[in-house]
Amino acid sequence: MGQFWKRLFAREAPPERPRFSVVLPWPEEAPPAEAVKALSSADVQDWFYRLVLGMPGSEVVELRPPEQVMLKRLDELCGGDRFDITSLPRLPEVLPQLLRMLKSDSADGTKIAKLIGRDPVLVGEVMRVTQSAHYRTAKPISSLQHAVVLLGQDGLRQMVTHHVMKPILQASAGMLGHAAGQRLWDHAERCAHASMYLAKGHGDPFEAYLAGVVCNAGVGAMVRVLDQEAPPTLGVFSRTFLMHYLSMANHLSLRAARHWELPPNVIEALRERLEARSKLPVTELGNALLAADHLAMIQMLAENHVIDRGTPPAPQRADRLPDVLVDRAQQELRRVFRQNEGYAG
């Protein structure tokens, strides 16, 4: 499965460039809980993507001359619709139809098994997952249909996101690929969980989960482009350069979602996320995704001891969700992913 996706990233290893260590502008010792203050949404985003790239913090705002040259090059490669979206790997051919089928409460196990049976990769993943200790049964699994019934719709949805989408973000190649890919996937898991929590009662839970999983797919691809194109002299990014870089990456995420024929509501939420700086989202899923993305970044920064684990959401956010709901979603993330934080107590 990993080889299927590595076509996007595969090439010879680039020349060695100076490796960044994460040294960001905050105190080494966490303040007491009552002193923890919210960060702005801009700071949370800036610090999170520096964590992804393994890059030190920077107080420089204006673009430096080498960055202007680099942005021009990135625009030539990835700006607008210039990135060759067909160079991205297509999802298994049956996946869009499978996603639609899994949304139906009347989906038939026999029909689902027949559809999955058309794709050897999906067949292999279904059988592998159902043979794991979590699904082990007294009787051996005798058929694909048996495996599909054992997984159920929720299990199949999880299999689709974890075993089809995950390799995109975890693709390991080049200087930045592996570490960045793992952190992007860790964020995706948290964003998907928070998005589903925030969208509860306002739409399809799986669409909310899927939106959270794929929202940074373009960042993964842009990391690869950066690894290929950035000269060693580029240095630590200014805040403005990183903002422009992420805007291109979010546009690529939207194009990738269309390329993969993801559900229309997911595509619309990604579009609203892309345009959030100039136009507030109006859909329930768009608002949920924006808030979930913000909470997942805070959670990742806390787990990596970059900020205090008690850091609350930003008071000024682009989403239109009630603060009390966002606070509850943050508590849910801390509860579910607490074991990853490395904090005592």
Side-chain angles (χ1 to χ4, degrees):
M1 187 64 173
Q3 295 300 321
F4 176 79
W5 292 110
K6 285 182 182 177
R7 295 202 306 271
L8 170 60
F9 297 96
R11 72 175 190 88
E12 294 182 1
E16 183 72 12
R17 300 209 315 263
R19 294 178 182 269
F20 295 112
S21 60
V22 181
V23 182
L24 296 168
W26 42 72
E28 292 183 4
E29 295 184 3
E34 61 271 14
V36 176
K37 296 182 179 180
L39 301 170
S40 69
S41 292
D43 280 342
V44 168
Q45 177 176 275
D46 184 81
W47 292 5
F48 170 70
Y49 286 105
R50 291 181 191 277
L51 174 68
V52 168
L53 296 171
M55 181 171 290
S58 174
E59 295 300 320
V60 177
V61 176
E62 299 298 324
L63 287 171
R64 297 175 292 108
E67 292 179 328
Q68 293 174 347
V69 174
M70 189 68 231
L71 272 184
K72 183 178 179 181
R73 176 58 178 161
L74 289 175
D75 186 62
E76 291 171 352
L77 294 171
C78 307
D81 293 336
R82 284 182 284 280
F83 184 91
D84 181 13
I85 203 68
T86 62
S87 67
L88 292 175
R90 287 197 65 86
L91 299 182
E93 184 179 350
V94 303
L95 191 60
Q97 188 178 347
L98 177 60
L99 291 176
R100 289 191 292 271
M101 190 176 289
L102 289 175
K103 285 183 63 178
S104 172
D105 293 333
S106 60
D108 178 81
T110 302
K111 292 180 180 178
I112 293 175
K114 184 176 181 181
L115 181 62
I116 291 174
R118 289 164 44 189
D119 189 285
V121 173
L122 288 180
V123 171
E125 288 302 322
V126 167
M127 299 306 293
R128 186 185 67 80
V129 171
T130 53
Q131 288 168 6
S132 67
H134 181 73
Y135 288 98
R136 191 165 295 160
T137 58
K139 294 183 179 179
I141 296 172
S142 57
S143 66
L144 178 59
Q145 184 175 346
H146 182 186
V148 166
V149 171
L150 183 62
L151 277 174
Q153 290 196 28
D154 288 341
L156 282 169
R157 289 167 178 166
Q158 187 179 48
M159 183 275 294
V160 166
T161 54
H162 279 68
H163 301 287
V164 177
M165 296 296 187
K166 184 177 181 179
I168 299 174
L169 298 180
Q170 280 196 322
S172 176
M175 189 186 77
L176 294 172
H178 180 70
Q182 182 60 51
R183 284 171 174 155
L184 287 172
W185 175 249
D186 290 344
H187 170 274
E189 286 190 299
R190 288 148 184 77
C191 185
H193 188 85
S195 180
M196 188 167 60
Y197 181 92
L198 290 165
K200 192 181 304 180
H202 298 288
D204 185 281
F206 179 60
E207 288 185 350
Y209 191 89
L210 187 59
V213 167
V214 304
C215 71
N216 268 333
V219 177
M222 285 290 289
V223 164
R224 188 64 205 156
V225 174
L226 181 69
D227 210 22
Q228 293 173 331
E229 300 292 334
T233 55
L234 186 60
V236 178
F237 298 167
S238 68
R239 292 173 71 98
T240 299
F241 179 86
L242 185 57
M243 181 182 68
H244 284 295
Y245 173 81
L246 292 173
S247 178
M248 289 186 192
N250 290 339
H251 180 67
L252 184 53
S253 293
L254 177 60
R255 292 189 64 210
R258 290 170 174 158
H259 175 65
W260 293 326
E261 300 178 52
L262 298 186
N265 289 340
V266 173
I267 292 173
E268 179 62 15
L270 292 172
R271 185 189 65 78
E272 290 185 332
R273 178 174 178 260
L274 172 65
E275 298 174 355
R277 285 184 174 272
S278 59
K279 184 179 179 182
L280 295 178
V282 296
T283 66
E284 296 284 355
L285 182 53
N287 280 292
L289 178 60
L290 269 187
D293 184 26
H294 178 72
L295 294 178
M297 287 190 282
I298 291 176
Q299 180 72 18
M300 284 292 296
L301 289 171
E303 288 181 19
N304 286 275
H305 306 279
V306 172
I307 61 176
D308 187 86
R309 64 171 177 163
T311 302
Q316 302 295 326
R317 305 181 312 276
D319 65 84
R320 300 180 179 185
L321 299 182
D323 289 343
V324 64
L325 177 60
V326 176
D327 288 340
R328 287 173 182 167
Q330 184 176 48
Q331 293 300 321
E332 169 70 5
L333 275 188
R334 290 171 179 167
R335 181 187 68 81
V336 173
F337 294 98
R338 185 176 181 84
Q339 67 273 19
N340 298 306
E341 291 186 0
Y343 292 100

